[in-house]
Structures are given as structure tokens and as C-alpha cells.
Amino acid sequence: CVRGIRDESERRSIDVNRRAKIFLWISVVVLGGAAALVLFCFDPAHVPIYPVCTFHAVTGLDCPGCGSLRALHALLHGRVWTALQFNALTVLSLPLFAWFVLRFARHKAGKGPAVNVRPLWLWLYLAAWMGFAVLRELPIPLFASVAHLVQAW
């Protein structure tokens, strides 16, 4: 009899845990969709509802993320070239993030291997962002034109 109570308790615990995970995934999808809808409807260049970049406000320089919201807004409207001009590294990172999220979701669903990212890859990615931050501030025509577009905002 004791074993039956314990098994029932464990089963309820597993059911609650599974429901919580499903609720979490649904919440993430709904909130992500709502955020995408807000970003689609309200242009960050014209509507002051988005946060201001503290680094840019203090230094006058563009941080690696400056232009990301405008780039995502442009992508949602199908303007890939404009998005690349606002923040190329954000746009070029999206396929990598999509791959990572899909692989993570497959693993959580029990249909794929665990997501294993080597620290070296994370450091290289961070170095790319820092290099991008420095290059976009240099007065080189290729980078200056992109920085000029961002500063014009």
C-alpha cells in the first residue's frame, strides 16, 4: 500500500512538472510573438517606447547592439538590406540563434542530442561583437556609412 501511494505521488509530481514546462514554452512563444508584433507595428526610429542605449547616451559612441531594434523592425518588414545597414552582426547572427533554439527545443522534446557549445566558440563570438563595435566607429568609408545611418537616427 505504501508503494502505491509513493508511485501515485511521483506520478502527480511528474505531471505537474510536465505541465509547468508546457506552460513555460507556451508563455515564451506567446510573449515572443507579442514582442515581434509590437516591433512590427511600432518603428523604433519614430516611436519612443523602446529603451535608450545607455552606452550611446553617455559616450556618444555606438555599442555593438546599437541599431538592433531598427534592424529587427526592418527585417519584419522584409527590408533585409536596410536591416544589414542598421546592425549587420545582429542580422547575420539570427540564423545561428535560430539553429541554437531549434536544437535546444529538439533536445528538450527528446528527439535530439544535448546542446553543447564549446567555450572557445562563445569567446570567438564575443570577440566578433567587440571587433564589430570597434570597426563601426572607425572613419573607414564602409563602416562610416553604416555608423552615419545609425547616428542619423
Side-chain angles (χ1 to χ4, degrees):
C1 184
V2 173
R3 178 70 181 159
I5 292 172
R6 185 172 174 203
D7 289 344
E8 181 66 25
S9 174
E10 286 177 14
R11 192 166 42 98
R12 285 185 192 162
S13 174
I14 291 170
D15 286 345
V16 168
N17 192 18
R18 185 167 184 253
R19 286 184 193 146
K21 286 181 181 179
I22 291 171
F23 177 75
L24 179 65
W25 278 106
I26 291 172
S27 299
V28 167
V29 169
V30 168
L31 289 173
L37 182 63
V38 168
L39 190 56
F40 179 83
C41 293
F42 301 104
D43 186 355
H46 303 298
V47 180
I49 62 172
Y50 300 101
V52 175
C53 177
T54 306
F55 181 82
H56 182 73
V58 171
T59 65
L61 301 173
D62 294 326
C63 77
C66 281
S68 293
L69 280 176
R70 285 171 281 142
L72 293 174
H73 175 78
L75 277 179
L76 287 172
H77 285 274
R79 298 188 315 260
V80 178
W81 180 247
T82 303
L84 285 167
Q85 289 174 327
F86 282 132
N87 193 319
L89 197 54
T90 296
V91 174
L92 296 175
S93 294
L94 289 176
L96 177 67
F97 289 137
W99 171 81
F100 184 78
V101 167
L102 289 174
R103 190 163 169 189
F104 180 77
R106 282 182 46 89
H107 171 68
K108 288 298 182 183
K111 297 181 181 181
V115 179
N116 185 12
V117 180
R118 294 181 179 163
L120 174 64
W121 289 108
L122 294 175
W123 284 110
L124 288 173
Y125 188 71
L126 179 65
W129 272 99
M130 292 300 109
F132 177 71
V134 170
L135 288 176
R136 74 189 309 191
E137 296 298 330
L138 295 177
I140 299 172
L142 173 65
F143 301 117
S145 64
V146 174
H148 176 70
L149 285 173
V150 172
Q151 290 174 356
W153 173 67

